[in-house]
Amino acid sequence: MAIRTTVWGENVHERKNKVVADIYPTGMHTCIADALNTGTGISATTVTLQDPEHGLTVEKLAQTDVLIWWGHAAHGDVDDRIVERVCDAVWGGMGIIFLHSAHFAKPFKRLMGAPCNLTWREAGERERLWVTSRNHPIAAGLPDHFELETEEMYGEPFGVPEPLETVFISWFQGGEVFRSGLTYKRGAGSVFYFRPGHETYPSYHDANVQRVIRNGVQWVYNPALRIANPNDAPNTAVERALEKIEERGPRLHHAGEAGFR
Amino acid sequence: MAIRTTVWGENVHERKNKVVADIYPTGMHTCIADALNTGTGISATTVTLQDPEHGLTVEKLAQTDVLIWWGHAAHGDVDDRIVERVCDAVWGGMGIIFLHSAHFAKPFKRLMGAPCNLTWREAGERERLWVTSRNHPIAAGLPDHFELETEEMYGEPFGVPEPLETVFISWFQGGEVFRSGLTYKRGAGSVFYFRPGHETYPSYHDANVQRVIRNGVQWVYNPALRIANPNDAPNTAVERALEKIEERGPRLHHAGEAGFR
Amino acid sequence: MAIRTTVWGENVHERKNKVVADIYPTGMHTCIADALNTGTGISATTVTLQDPEHGLTVEKLAQTDVLIWWGHAAHGDVDDRIVERVCDAVWGGMGIIFLHSAHFAKPFKRLMGAPCNLTWREAGERERLWVTSRNHPIAAGLPDHFELETEEMYGEPFGVPEPLETVFISWFQGGEVFRSGLTYKRGAGSVFYFRPGHETYPSYHDANVQRVIRNGVQWVYNPALRIANPNDAPNTAVERALEKIEERGPRLHHAGEAGFR
Amino acid sequence: MAIRTTVWGENVHERKNKVVADIYPTGMHTCIADALNTGTGISATTVTLQDPEHGLTVEKLAQTDVLIWWGHAAHGDVDDRIVERVCDAVWGGMGIIFLHSAHFAKPFKRLMGAPCNLTWREAGERERLWVTSRNHPIAAGLPDHFELETEEMYGEPFGVPEPLETVFISWFQGGEVFRSGLTYKRGAGSVFYFRPGHETYPSYHDANVQRVIRNGVQWVYNPALRIANPNDAPNTAVERALEKIEERGPRLHHAGEAGFR
């Protein structure tokens, strides 16, 4: 069965900025989804910030194996309840990919637990991405490096936790470097951050960028059943202990009582 | 100079539950601070949930090198603004230690970006902590294992991200295991989670537990100057690029404009 | 195409010890390979220490996607040239799984770069394995824990590097714990260590153990083309630099000369 | 007490190559040791490949808290017994720093368990090192980045395992990037790899480079007692089990017998 992928687009600059609209006439999210739908094994749809519940209803998330997130101008407009819902879905096993300026998206910051900041410069300079983990599934089919002739610069220090693996590091013409491909696990869900994709440049039309996103979808995808309540902290009663024990000493909780939160 | 350590105590059960009050007549936080003040190199004070701003004013945090957090019954009563302030301090370089039921404390969940859940049983059973990272500074002076005769059980799966290092794993009499000592870095700050310390048992009077906490303070402590604005994402202007570049292509931002958040 | 899996068996105790021979009349390696061949997607064959080149000829390794290694009594009899050949294959992208007493196998020690030691007791005690990374592909289809009624005890500290992920932790009846499922990457190859499988107990007949090994094969398998020379350190000539530079200063090497080793 | 640091120098090019001899008239090892001896807290001595047992006698290693390794032209001349001795010391708790071309030194390859290869170019190009882990003790006192005007290029992919933490990433003028500061733990010992230091350039005279090495010495140093036999795998007899158990089933080993290796 195809991996049900939902591409979440902020969809602001595509409608307000002529440069962006010319590059992505149907929206960045649509460009990304189209690229994913070209091959087999992935079935991508799109939702946007402007949809009711930002398109991320309980039902939609339940039918989403992998969520891709692109946002920039309107991070603050994302409803905190939707952010919690997305995090819960990830913790339950949904895969998620954050692209470019989503480093400051609310769900990314929540999942990282870190400032997620960086340095930046918008000058259309050359970016060259180097593969740092050879034969990593996310780098499948790529050469050792590839270039994007015009991109926004993001520079270190990148305020994220040490990843499971660093998959790409970028070289920038102006003298900076950046960890451009990073993997994490949060709860039962896998997370991939991928740097390229400033909206005034045609990065999501690039074949290598598309390939990385497609590989990323397959890497974060987990076929296991979603965990129904990923925040559950079940009490194991003394009489059901796996090894026979006898209760000793005082206790706070009555039998069957839920824990504190 | 001594490491300025602030022990944050929820201070609820000590005042409401006779068993807890008998074990910790001056509060768990005071017991922990007293133990830290016994040796040299650490200067510990206490604050509680009931203090104005929970005792964690901007001034107090500025004078805190290491914060220790114990909470259980009243996680929900902690003001979200204080949680943000604590996270900012950690991201700026303050060390932090979370003890026992603080696995569900708001700042821990925020820093982990994960559900932080577990299984539990309050039966006064035996816990045996094994050192899994030999000669780790946090285990300095400890034998390969030590025991707590009566403790609450916490069991895997523990819903936290893969740590930098697993320092302790606990064996429980009833048949469970738990990663009891875990290290992380978030922003510029080091984080240590340490499991023991259910309030109805005298764990913080235990010499080995006290030693781990003392070692933990030294490990999370960072003498570097606190980063003033750990969330800053500075723009590097084209004309100040480290390598000479020329601006190309369209851009969204005017010169000197701040980035989106 | 099925994952071509080679099960390497030391095949010593099966022939010399009646207890082991009774449990594994055709050898432990055959029991493991049979279990892998039951399902679809994996095609397993066996080789043993006694085969020429221990069965691990250049040709055989070239046709091996995943190698499984079980050894115990005869670690020292493994030819160092074969060890190097195996490590090179892993570095080039071959997946590898080390079982139980293979913690002291030469290729495991070489790939870990660490002492790989532990404590042990052969008393037929109960082992309970807990999943510590929820929904990890290696734990697919397993409950949160499973038991082996009689197993050898392995105890912490386990002298291995911090893994990419800790997938299982074992509880032992006699009071110890052990990190029983650990993942690593070395060069382009993925590595999985899985603890159970003392030869005097029927662990490889256990359905859960078989499932973990099957999942493990799928996890360490990498469909990418094997890297031909995984030790290559190519010189990039000045005139072929990706960014135009001019040579400056003195140099040690003549143009086209290989680097030192 | 000062950290007893031994700087191991290959000492080949300093004697054979006029360029190197002019930059390091008393040897690179002496330059490094002199820099370490400038401050307080570190007491550095030197040994070289040409010394008996390469200067790394049992006695010398027993008195070495931290070993620094620089080698390039003569990796193959290092005696395998000395390599094992060094690894044993690390596993027992000795700190170790590998510099530049020591990426192919025997003890580094042994401790990494990986190919440790890279791409390279000797063109005296500009290297800029970026701090990727803010306030990391190894980066203490450094700005966010620093430059070396002429250095050899090392490029990704760098064939090493995922580190505990990536501390520095280098930008090179010719278009490559490289993870220049990486931390590991092997057995009880901490390991730091630091990239700069090609022998035809004056990198070890650079104040920032010296500062990193000094910080590195402090970071890898572990005051704990060296583990006497870091490879020991002790048997825990049934009658000394921490929890009372009864032996069940058959066993291979007689009471008190050592395990297989």
Side-chain angles (χ1 to χ4, degrees), chain A residues 72 91 110 113 117-118 120-124 149 174 186 199 230 232-236 243 248 251-253 260, chain B residues 72 91 110 113 117-118 120-124 149 161 174 199 230 232-236 243 248 251-253 260:
Chain A
H72 189 190
W91 297 346
R110 283 291 281 278
N117 54 338
L118 43 77
W120 59 283
R121 178 176 53 236
E122 194 187 8
E149 186 53 33
R186 289 293 183 265
E199 59 264 52
D232 196 26
N235 178 256
T236 305
E243 303 289 326
R248 298 186 296 188
R251 67 179 193 182
L252 288 173
H253 295 271
F260 297 112
Chain B
H72 189 189
W91 297 345
R110 282 292 281 278
N117 54 338
L118 43 78
W120 59 283
R121 179 176 54 236
E122 195 187 7
E149 186 54 32
E199 59 263 53
D232 195 26
N235 179 256
T236 305
E243 303 289 328
R248 300 186 295 186
R251 67 178 192 181
L252 287 173
H253 295 272
F260 297 113

Side-chain angles (χ1 to χ4, degrees), chain B residues 70-136:
Chain B
W70 193 100
H72 189 189
H75 293 320
D77 295 347
V78 177
D79 190 318
D80 284 338
R81 286 169 309 169
I82 304 302
V83 173
E84 282 204 28
R85 191 184 288 166
V86 167
C87 289
D88 275 344
V90 171
W91 297 345
M94 182 181 74
I96 194 161
I97 298 176
F98 293 95
L99 295 174
H100 188 64
S101 42
H103 73 91
F104 262 168
K106 284 183 179 181
F108 187 65
K109 293 193 69 174
R110 282 292 281 278
L111 290 168
M112 292 296 104
C116 302
N117 54 338
L118 43 78
T119 70
W120 59 283
R121 179 176 54 236
E122 195 187 7
E125 68 201 272
R126 189 175 313 125
E127 175 179 15
R128 183 178 296 111
L129 294 99
W130 290 91
V131 175
T132 49
S133 179
R134 293 188 91 171
N135 282 17
H136 194 288

Side-chain angles (χ1 to χ4, degrees), chain A residues 17-31:
Chain A
N17 183 301
K18 188 175 178 334
V19 170
V20 181
D22 283 351
I23 303 175
Y24 299 108
T26 55
M28 303 175 81
H29 44 288
T30 308
C31 175

Side-chain angles (χ1 to χ4, degrees), chain B residues 50-73:
Chain B
Q50 296 80 28
D51 292 334
E53 305 186 41
H54 310 324
L56 299 173
T57 59
V58 170
E59 296 71 29
K60 183 63 178 175
L61 281 178
Q63 292 160 14
T64 297
D65 297 316
V66 174
L67 181 61
I68 298 179
W69 193 283
W70 193 100
H72 189 189

Side-chain angles (χ1 to χ4, degrees), chain A residues 9-10 25 28 45 52 75 96 155 162 167 175 178 186 191-192 196 200 208 220 225-227 238 247 253 255-256:
Chain A
E10 185 184 86
M28 303 175 81
T45 56
H75 294 318
I96 195 161
E162 193 69 26
V167 182
F178 194 74
R186 289 293 183 265
V191 180
F192 175 50
T200 59
N208 286 316
V220 300
L225 200 64
R226 194 77 55 88
I227 294 170
V238 174
E247 189 177 324
H253 295 271

